[in-house]
């Protein structure tokens, strides 16, 4: 076998001798011909014979030397061809999970895609394709140069193909049905059996060919799916029906043709409905601009979007789409960002503001400098997150998948037992069908026991519907992710939909979440008698805070600049986490911070105790200022609440959710802000590094907790929470720590997220109920002879389509905040 080169990312190396040690260890592995370890890049390139030394052997060798191999996690989405039911999903997932180097894989029946997370150092795309193809399915490759938008037509092609197949079965089937009614109820037709056999052949073997091909592929790979059930329920009955040409017997051909016709009808309706459910991605893909006008040497030049580069200055006139994400370099306008945020009101923009690609410039001429292109743009991130959501699974689905994996083999067994039971106890079953004959017109008590046994067995086979179970969650998530994207709510993981319904408490970070995150100075208090003036106090505080990035510090800096004060450089600057800052200004030591900082520095601030309490009761953050180890005064800063914070918190409480606020502010200030917005639980004086521990403590007390934060400073706490809800900032929404990302910064989006999650999970439960209910009722009725195979296959087809249509009804769910709807109605009346 030809040697293979494998690259491993090494962890734990601290010097060049570590690299030498690993090289020596790898070279000692049987089958390794060469090994080179680069200390600078922390990578090992190993040439080896894969039949003697596998990747796992190399990893074990590195670990035995005391180092680690860091998995290079990559994610890929494959389009899968040939899947027909939930059993197919289970087969592919099972094979992928067994494959070397695969961390996880989810297969989605509705989107016909497999999302695979794998170690790029152990396996590759070609190997993963082989695994899928080894199960009897195909990986549908995109042609070189094909754009994502062009894939949209694939759904249309599938619908047309399914429609043609259905019509090819429907035309001869209608003739078969008419002839059958005439023959059995009006007048005997000469050569009836021959005519039916000739008309039935193209239905069963041509229209049913895709089904029979899929079932043969499944049997060849040692598994059973719904196609196998349909093939067994149609081909043997057709062949048995030919027995009428040899000796007197009942004809099963009409049943075989009806089974195939209803099956392809169900497939056609299902494909069409699935196409409607996947509209979200199509709509998003169509939003992007196709061309852009850029400035080249002062002249406008129109180019294709693929040619736009970061740094290009784009010219956008009123009414035109902004080609890609950028920053406004010249001009001012109002931009319609409804496609991104769901907000219908245009947003005013000026020089320096961010502009989102695919949004519409409404008024002025803008020159925008491109900052993001291709997969990094806002629109591409949204599409990626919607696809990730559609490719993920809800925990309830995993249980359904396990049941479905045993369902088809189980039904094959039940069908076999049904035939045996009818042959062994014909009298018992005859009593049942005799009882049902007066009100069930399809029951014919005049048939022989063998014929009735075959009818019952076939009915059991064709009635089973694992498809309905397989489509229950994926189609609902497809619709939900699209609705979320339209309303500024991006569901990243499907699991969040189920977890959200169990949430007891939603914790809000204060700064930038409940408040605008743009505080301003409200009060400047100096000591009495005055060691420094108000202006000098602000000068000292602002000069030190100029070295800080904290919003409160920046508010003090901005206040000093507005007053025309010139700031000076700070020496020995130090930021003390959760307490404040210190540094030297004009040779004097300045401290700016909270009471903890003053206590740690042993500075007496008792004269300000009452004033501090008064300011904190007013929901202001009071920062003490000390000059040369003596208290000099207070600078108070307040952050304004977001416009919808009070209404949003009130509605969440009405929905039965407890609200909590987490902040570094002292208890008094935090209580004052919480009282203003109506929050019931306050977690105050929490340092950034302690937020995770605080969330853990809350989880122990109340159970399931959701956390709403900015996704950057709050990333660890968002990860710790059962559901992490991140507020996106501008065009950056790819927040790894979040389960749900809110594009708009307002709290109303939290209500939308909660309502959407609840409505989605309700639909999923409905889908599973109807799927289980149908199978639980239909299979026993078929086994005892009360449900004809023709009726059964029709209801089977309806069961799958009903699940998809029920998912589509999610679009009617009311997910907007109630107070917003009331406001819109009032404004409409006015």
């Amino acid at each position: 076998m030809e040697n293979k080169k494998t690259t491993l990312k090494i962890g734990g190396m601290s010097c060049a001798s570590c690299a030498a040690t690993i090289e020596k260890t790898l070279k000692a592995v049987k089958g390794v011909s060469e090994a080179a370890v680069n200390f600078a890049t922390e990578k090992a390139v190993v040439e080896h014979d894969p039949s003697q030394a596998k990747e796992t052997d190399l990893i074990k060798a590195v670990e035995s030397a005391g180092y680690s191999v860091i998995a290079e996690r990559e994610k890929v989405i494959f389009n899968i061809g040939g899947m027909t039911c939930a059993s197919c999903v289970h087969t592919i997932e099972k094979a992928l999970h067994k494959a070397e180097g695969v961390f996880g894989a989810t297969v989605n029946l509705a989107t016909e895609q497999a999302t695979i997370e794998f170690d790029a150092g152990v396996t590759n795309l070609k190997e993963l394709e082989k695994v899928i193809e080894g199960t009897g399915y195909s990986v549908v490759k995109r042609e070189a140069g094909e754009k994502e938008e062009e894939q949209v037509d694939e759904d249309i092609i599938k619908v047309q193909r399914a429609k043609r197949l259905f019509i090819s079965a429907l035309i001869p089937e209608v003739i078969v049905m008419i002839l059958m009614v005439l023959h059995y109820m009006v007048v005997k037709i000469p050569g009836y059996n021959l005519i039916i056999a000739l008309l039935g052949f193209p239905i069963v073997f041509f229209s049913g060919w895709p089904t029979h091909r899929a079932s043969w592929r499944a049997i060849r790979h040692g598994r059973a799916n719904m196609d196998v059930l349909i093939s067994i329920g149609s081909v043997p009955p057709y062949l048995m029906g030919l027995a009428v040409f040899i000796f007197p017997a009942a004809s099963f051909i009409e049943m075989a043709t009806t089974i195939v016709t209803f099956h392809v009808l169900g497939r056609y309706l299902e494909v069409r409905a699935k196409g409607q459910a996947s509209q979200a991605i199509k709509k998003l893909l169509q939003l992007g601009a196709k061309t852009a006008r850029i400035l080249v040497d002062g002249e406008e030049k129109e180019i294709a979007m693929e040619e736009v580069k970061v740094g290009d200055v784009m010219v956008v006139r009123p009414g035109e789409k902004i080609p890609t994400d950028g920053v406004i370099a010249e001009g001012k306008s109002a931009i319609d960002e409804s496609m991104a945020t769901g907000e219908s009101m245009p947003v005013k923009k000026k020089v320096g503001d961010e502009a989102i690609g695919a949004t519409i410039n409404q008024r002025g001429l803008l020159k925008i400098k491109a900052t993001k292109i291709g997969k990094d743009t806002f629109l591409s991130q949204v599409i990626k997150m919607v696809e990730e959501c559609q490719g993920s699974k809800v925990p309830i689905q995993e249980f359904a998948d396990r049941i479905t994996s045993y369902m088809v083999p189980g039904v094959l067994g039940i069908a076999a037992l049904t035939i045996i039971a009818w042959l062994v106890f014909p009298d018992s079953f005859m009593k049942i069908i005799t009882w049902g004959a007066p009100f069930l017109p399809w029951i014919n008590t005049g048939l022989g026991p063998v014929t009735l046994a075959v009818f019952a067995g076939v009915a059991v086979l064709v009635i089973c519907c694992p498809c309905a179970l397989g489509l229950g969650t994926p189609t609902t998530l497809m619709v939900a992710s699209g609705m979320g994207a339209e309303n500024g709510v991006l569901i990243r993981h499907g699991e969040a939909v189920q977890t959200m319904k169990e949430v007891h408490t939603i914790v809000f970070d204060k700064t930038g979440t409940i408040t605008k995150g743009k505080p301003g100075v409200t009060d400047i208090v100096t000591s009495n008698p005055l060691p420094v003036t108000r202006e000098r106090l602000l000068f000292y505080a602002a000069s030190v805070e100029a070295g800080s990035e904290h919003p409160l510090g920046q508010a003090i800096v901005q206040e000093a600049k507005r007053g025309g004060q010139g700031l000076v450089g700070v020496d020995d600057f130090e930021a003390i986490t959760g307490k404040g800052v210190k540094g030297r200004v004009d040779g004097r030591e300045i401290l700016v911070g909270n009471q903890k900082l003053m206590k740690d520095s042993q500075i007496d601030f008792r004269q300000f105790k009452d004033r501090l309490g008064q300011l904190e009761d007013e929901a202001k953050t009071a920062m003490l200022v000390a000059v040369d180890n003596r208290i000099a005064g207070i600078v108070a800063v307040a952050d304004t609440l977001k416009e919808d914070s009070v209404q949003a918190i009130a509605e969440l409480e009405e929905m039965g959710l407890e609200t909590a606020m987490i902040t570094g502010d002292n208890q008094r200030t935090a209580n004052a802000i919480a009282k203003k917005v109506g929050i019931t639980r306050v977690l105050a004086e929490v340092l950034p590094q302690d937020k995770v521990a605080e969330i853990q403590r809350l989880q122990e007390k109340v159970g399931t907790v959701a956390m709403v934060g900015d996704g950057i400073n709050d990333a660890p706490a968002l990860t710790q929470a059962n559901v992490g809800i991140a507020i996106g900032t501008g065009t950056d929404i790819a927040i790894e720590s979040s389960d749900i990302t809110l594009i708009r910064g307002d709290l109303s989006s939290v209500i939308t997220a909660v309502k959407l999650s609840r409505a989605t999970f309700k639909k999923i439960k409905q889908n599973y109920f109807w799927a289980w209910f149908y199978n639980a009722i239909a299979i026993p009725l078929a086994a005892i002879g009360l449900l004809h195979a023709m009726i059964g296959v029709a209801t089977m087809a309806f069961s799958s389509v009903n699940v998809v249509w029920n998912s589509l009804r999610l679009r009617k769910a009311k997910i907007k905040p109630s107070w917003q709807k009331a406001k819109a109605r009032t404004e409409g009346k006015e």
Side-chain angles (χ1 to χ4, degrees):
M1 187 179 281
E2 192 178 335
N3 276 4
K4 178 183 176 184
K5 274 191 179 180
T6 297
T7 303
L8 303 174
K9 178 85 173 167
I10 309 294
M13 291 196 295
S14 57
C15 63
S17 63
C18 299
T21 302
I22 297 167
E23 267 186 22
K24 189 178 178 182
T25 306
L26 285 168
K27 285 176 179 175
V29 175
K30 188 180 178 182
V32 172
S33 54
E34 188 57 51
V37 179
N38 188 316
F39 173 60
T41 60
E42 297 182 326
K43 285 185 178 179
V45 179
V46 188
E47 194 172 336
H48 61 105
D49 180 349
S51 63
Q52 290 184 305
K54 295 179 181 176
E55 283 90 348
T56 48
D57 298 324
L58 305 179
I59 292 167
K60 284 176 186 173
V62 173
E63 289 170 347
S64 69
Y67 303 91
S68 62
V69 174
I70 302 166
E72 294 185 47
R73 282 181 179 257
E74 285 189 19
K75 193 179 273 186
V76 66
I77 297 175
F78 283 139
N79 292 320
I80 309 293
M83 289 197 298
T84 56
C85 70
S87 297
C88 307
V89 169
H90 179 75
T91 301
I92 299 170
E93 280 185 356
K94 192 176 176 183
L96 285 168
H97 283 135
K98 285 181 179 177
E100 197 176 9
V102 173
F103 298 118
T106 56
V107 179
N108 189 312
L109 178 63
T111 60
E112 296 180 349
Q113 290 181 330
T115 304
I116 310 162
E117 197 171 358
F118 63 99
D119 185 346
V122 175
T123 189
N124 54 48
L125 300 184
K126 201 167 184 180
E127 291 298 319
L128 295 174
E129 284 181 22
K130 282 181 184 175
V131 172
I132 294 168
E133 287 163 357
T135 61
Y137 300 92
S138 60
V139 175
V140 182
K141 295 184 178 70
R142 197 189 299 178
E143 295 299 320
E146 183 185 348
K147 297 176 190 174
E148 280 189 84
E149 291 93 330
E150 290 166 7
Q151 286 188 295
V152 171
D153 296 332
E154 185 62 30
D155 277 339
I156 299 169
I157 294 166
K158 283 179 186 173
V159 170
Q160 290 171 344
R161 192 185 299 137
K163 187 178 180 180
R164 283 196 300 270
L165 204 63
F166 168 57
I167 291 170
S168 72
L170 179 65
I171 294 169
E173 176 62 16
V174 168
I175 300 170
V176 167
M177 288 292 107
I178 293 169
L179 291 174
M180 184 176 75
V181 171
L182 291 172
H183 182 72
Y184 288 109
M185 296 183 180
V186 182
V187 60
K188 295 292 179 184
I189 298 171
Y192 170 77
N193 289 326
L194 179 61
I195 296 167
I196 294 299
L198 292 172
L199 285 169
F201 186 84
I203 298 174
V204 175
F205 295 101
F206 294 164
S207 300
W209 171 244
T211 301
H212 305 323
R213 184 178 56 198
S215 64
W216 169 245
R217 192 167 54 218
I219 293 165
R220 199 156 45 92
H221 286 87
R223 54 185 174 75
N225 60 14
M226 196 181 76
D227 295 307
V228 173
L229 300 181
I230 296 297
S231 291
I232 294 174
S234 59
V235 176
Y238 178 87
L239 298 175
M240 287 166 67
L242 298 178
V244 296
F245 297 113
I246 304 167
F247 53 83
S251 173
F252 299 103
I253 295 174
E254 299 93 335
M255 182 175 71
T257 61
T258 307
I259 286 168
V260 172
T261 303
F262 273 116
H263 177 63
V264 293
L265 168 63
R267 277 272 180 258
Y268 164 57
L269 295 175
E270 188 184 305
V271 168
R272 197 172 73 170
K274 276 161 64 178
Q276 291 172 4
S278 64
Q279 286 295 317
I281 294 286
K282 297 174 193 173
K283 283 180 182 175
L284 289 168
L285 287 169
Q286 289 161 5
L287 286 173
K290 304 294 182 285
T291 60
R293 269 194 301 274
I294 64 167
L295 288 176
V296 180
D297 299 327
E299 296 289 324
E300 288 185 25
K301 182 184 178 184
E302 190 165 343
I303 59 172
M305 272 309 303
E306 293 79 13
E307 296 175 44
V308 177
K309 299 188 291 292
V310 171
D312 282 346
V313 176
M314 305 172 290
V315 179
V316 186
R317 291 181 170 80
E320 293 181 345
K321 279 184 184 178
I322 295 168
T324 191
D325 299 350
V327 174
I328 297 173
E330 191 179 311
K332 60 180 181 178
S333 181
I335 295 176
D336 178 3
E337 294 186 341
S338 56
M339 60 71 61
T341 64
E343 179 57 59
S344 57
M345 291 297 291
V347 182
K348 290 180 180 178
K349 298 280 184 176
K350 61 184 185 305
V351 173
D353 288 344
E354 279 189 334
I356 301 173
T359 56
I360 298 169
N361 176 26
Q362 288 203 328
R363 295 178 193 164
L365 176 72
L366 293 176
K367 290 181 182 176
I368 301 170
K369 189 176 183 180
T371 54
K372 291 180 182 176
I373 57 170
K375 63 181 177 62
D376 298 323
T377 64
F378 173 88
L379 185 60
S380 295
Q381 288 179 60
V382 171
I383 291 167
K384 182 173 178 257
M385 289 174 76
V386 170
E387 284 179 336
E388 279 183 2
C389 175
Q390 293 181 356
S392 62
K393 285 199 175 184
V394 177
I396 193 175
Q397 186 185 353
E398 292 171 7
F399 169 73
D401 286 350
R402 280 199 299 274
I403 299 295
T404 305
S405 66
Y406 300 109
M407 193 170 182
V408 175
V411 167
L412 285 168
I414 293 169
L417 289 172
T418 297
I419 293 170
I420 293 166
W422 271 84
L423 295 174
V424 175
F425 308 107
D427 294 340
S428 301
F429 286 107
M430 279 300 293
K431 286 177 185 176
I432 295 170
I433 64 170
T434 303
W435 167 81
F439 54 89
L440 296 174
W442 53 80
I443 292 179
N444 184 354
T445 54
L447 297 173
V450 175
T451 303
L452 289 170
V454 171
F455 270 131
V458 170
V460 168
L461 284 175
V462 298
I463 275 166
C464 169
C465 189
C467 260
L469 290 166
L471 291 167
T473 298
T475 51
T476 312
L477 277 183
M478 284 166 75
V479 177
S481 57
M483 284 177 68
E486 288 168 7
N487 288 277
V489 176
L490 299 176
I491 303 169
R492 194 182 188 90
H493 303 122
E495 186 181 350
V497 168
Q498 183 167 340
T499 311
M500 201 71 196
K501 77 173 181 65
E502 298 160 2
V503 167
H504 178 278
T505 304
I506 298 185
V507 181
F508 295 91
D509 180 49
K510 188 202 79 173
T511 307
T513 304
I514 294 171
T515 63
K516 290 181 177 178
K518 295 176 181 175
V521 174
T522 58
D523 302 83
I524 299 173
V525 184
T526 56
S527 59
N528 193 19
L530 297 174
V532 293
T533 62
R534 282 168 51 90
E535 290 73 20
R536 200 68 184 161
L537 186 76
L538 184 59
F539 165 76
Y540 284 137
S543 294
V544 178
E545 289 287 8
S548 167
E549 292 181 358
H550 197 283
L552 299 180
Q554 289 304 305
I556 295 172
V557 173
Q558 292 304 317
E559 182 67 21
K561 286 180 177 177
R562 269 195 295 272
Q565 292 207 43
L567 306 182
V568 296
V570 59
D571 298 318
D572 304 328
F573 174 81
E574 185 184 349
I576 301 131
T577 306
K579 295 175 184 177
V581 292
K582 67 178 182 178
R584 298 188 71 81
V585 177
D586 284 348
R588 305 186 78 171
E589 185 160 347
I590 311 297
L591 275 77
V592 184
N594 57 23
Q595 295 178 40
K596 286 180 185 176
L597 179 63
M598 298 302 151
K599 284 175 184 174
D600 291 350
S601 305
Q602 297 181 336
I603 294 170
D604 183 8
F605 58 91
R606 281 176 296 180
Q607 62 174 296
F608 288 116
K609 273 284 185 183
D610 292 340
R611 190 73 174 108
L612 281 170
Q614 184 186 344
L615 291 167
E616 287 164 1
D617 286 340
E618 294 169 4
K620 295 172 182 175
T621 302
M623 289 179 281
L624 292 159
V625 182
V627 179
D628 289 336
N629 292 319
R630 285 184 61 195
I631 196 70
I634 303 171
V635 178
V637 176
D639 195 355
T640 51
L641 295 175
K642 288 181 178 175
E643 287 82 358
D644 66 339
S645 290
V646 175
Q647 295 101 318
I649 297 294
E651 187 162 345
L652 287 168
E653 292 274 350
E654 284 172 17
M655 290 165 70
L657 292 161
E658 181 192 43
T659 54
M661 182 180 76
I662 192 165
T663 177
D665 288 346
N666 62 64
Q667 193 71 50
R668 206 163 179 172
T669 304
N671 286 339
I673 294 168
K675 190 177 178 183
K676 270 189 176 182
V677 292
I679 280 178
T680 50
R681 189 188 288 264
V682 180
L683 309 171
E685 299 178 35
V686 180
L687 299 176
Q689 64 268 27
D690 295 333
K691 283 184 180 179
V692 171
E694 202 64 43
I695 295 292
Q696 283 175 331
R697 274 194 288 273
L698 191 58
Q699 285 169 324
E700 288 167 10
K701 281 184 189 176
V702 303
T704 309
V705 171
M707 165 84 184
V708 185
D710 65 10
I712 302 165
N713 301 318
D714 302 320
L718 289 175
T719 305
Q720 175 59 42
N722 301 91
V723 180
I725 303 173
I727 292 176
T729 52
T731 58
D732 187 16
I733 52 164
I735 300 165
E736 292 297 328
S737 56
S738 73
D739 299 300
I740 298 172
T741 299
L742 310 178
I743 297 173
R744 295 200 304 270
D746 56 31
L747 293 195
S748 300
S749 297
V750 178
I751 297 169
T752 301
V754 173
K755 285 187 173 182
L756 178 60
S757 296
R758 287 181 176 182
T760 302
F761 193 69
K762 186 180 177 183
K763 278 288 175 225
I764 290 170
K765 286 198 296 183
Q766 285 175 3
N767 286 343
Y768 281 134
F769 169 78
W770 287 115
W772 285 117
F773 179 79
Y774 161 77
N775 281 291
I777 297 295
I779 292 173
L781 287 176
I784 60 175
L786 295 178
L787 202 58
H788 195 281
M790 293 183 186
I791 306 296
V793 76
T795 52
M796 179 272 288
F798 173 75
S799 175
S800 291
V801 176
N802 180 53
V803 162
V804 182
W805 280 341
N806 189 47
S807 298
L808 289 171
R809 284 196 285 272
L810 177 63
R811 289 177 183 164
K812 295 180 181 177
K814 293 175 173 63
I815 61 172
K816 293 276 189 185
S818 301
W819 67 269
Q820 276 188 354
K821 286 184 282 187
K823 183 182 174 186
R825 281 195 300 270
T826 306
E827 288 173 354
K829 286 174 187 174
E830 291 172 359

